[in-house]
Amino acid sequence: EVQLQESGPGLVKPSQSLSLTCSVTGYSITSNYWGWIRKFPGNKMEWMGYISYSGSTSYNPSLKSRISITRDTSKNQFFLQLNSVTTEDTATYYCARYLRANYGDYWGQGVMVTVSS
Amino acid sequence: DIVLTQSPVLAVSLGQRATISCRASQSVSISSINLMHWYQQKPGQQPKLLIYRASNLASGIPARFSGSGSGTDFTLTIDPVQADDIAAYYCQQSRESTWTFGGGTKLELK
């Protein structure tokens, strides 16, 4: 069974970088697409981006200057880095497998990240 | 970006039919492929894929869930509603490379 698990700090200071890891079991990240979605307080959901089976990436233009998604295929993990965070980046962050780069069929449990000094 | 509009709340009785709508600001269909998908989310849990490409039931999802629509208007139907279905429901489009989500519809009991 495909399983995803996010990990990373729950508290980040403004202007710093947010770094999260998604560990995948039961499926190789060298197949399909893998990415990040966040849900803000108030329930708005935002697609952040993905990394493909080949290592190519696609990002939400609203984040393009601050976001980076990378991977370590030897550990079957992929990563999110979001730079220069503000309080508006406070959200629950989910990693997911994107089937055919169209929809998320497997999701992690999510990790809540608060940006605060 | 394509904006997806959902009604915030829908109140329904157990055993009845629930119809949740999602309207897109522009077509999310390419030829006969409707790039609209539906998720269920319960408090404290991750989203769960229910329907992909408008009308295809995801693996393990009960047949009381169904989806329909094309172009800009899409519907998720739950018939009959069971207690376990009380949750929030989100539509999501992948017609454009920047995916967007609807604001969610919270299904409540009457």
Side-chain angles (χ1 to χ4, degrees):
Chain A
E1 183 187 1
V2 182
Q3 292 188 329
L4 297 88
Q5 179 67 58
E6 305 90 348
S7 59
L11 181 64
V12 181
K13 289 182 171 17
S15 80
Q16 293 188 345
S17 293
L18 179 162
S19 296
L20 298 176
T21 297
C22 184
S23 300
V24 180
T25 57
Y27 198 89
S28 172
I29 64 169
T30 59
S31 296
N32 244 298
Y33 297 76
W34 306 85
W36 296 90
I37 292 166
R38 62 183 178 176
K39 187 177 182 182
F40 298 101
N43 298 326
K44 177 187 173 183
M45 295 184 70
E46 180 180 63
W47 171 78
M48 301 182 73
Y50 66 67
I51 187 164
S52 78
Y53 55 90
S54 66
S56 64
T57 55
S58 178
Y59 300 132
N60 191 317
S62 69
L63 300 169
K64 196 159 191 176
S65 62
R66 299 197 293 135
I67 189 173
S68 176
I69 298 176
T70 57
R71 66 179 184 172
D72 183 338
T73 57
S74 68
K75 295 182 179 179
N76 219 37
Q77 295 175 327
F78 62 101
F79 312 99
L80 171 69
Q81 181 169 317
L82 188 64
N83 299 323
S84 305
V85 298
T86 71
T87 55
E88 294 188 353
D89 294 308
T90 293
T92 298
Y93 289 76
Y94 297 95
C95 60
R97 184 178 82 168
Y98 297 165
L99 203 59
R100 303 184 188 89
N102 272 309
Y103 49 86
D105 64 341
Y106 287 94
W107 296 63
Q109 292 276 4
V111 58
M112 184 178 297
V113 178
T114 301
V115 179
S116 174
S117 54
Chain B
D1 291 356
I2 297 176
V3 176
L4 302 181
T5 302
Q6 297 182 247
S7 297
V9 177
L10 177 66
V12 65
S13 301
L14 293 179
Q16 299 301 305
R17 174 185 297 175
T19 302
I20 298 170
S21 64
C22 177
R23 175 163 287 178
S25 59
Q26 60 192 78
S27 176
V28 299
S29 302
I30 303 175
S31 298
S32 61
I33 302 173
N34 302 300
L35 295 171
M36 183 68 80
H37 323 288
W38 290 93
Y39 302 88
Q40 176 194 68
Q41 188 174 30
K42 298 179 180 178
Q45 295 185 17
Q46 69 270 54
K48 177 194 290 187
L49 178 69
L50 298 176
I51 301 286
Y52 62 95
R53 280 186 262 124
S55 60
N56 297 278
L57 200 63
S59 177
I61 302 302
R64 65 179 183 275
F65 291 91
S66 63
S68 63
S70 64
T72 61
D73 292 298
F74 294 86
T75 299
L76 172 70
T77 300
I78 311 170
D79 189 12
V81 170
Q82 298 186 0
D84 188 51
D85 302 333
I86 300 307
Y89 293 85
Y90 294 87
C91 54
Q92 173 243 312
Q93 65 80 24
S94 57
R95 172 61 178 86
E96 291 188 335
S97 57
T98 302
W99 297 1
T100 51
F101 289 84
T105 296
K106 188 175 180 183
L107 191 64
E108 295 183 342
L109 286 178
K110 271 186 187 175

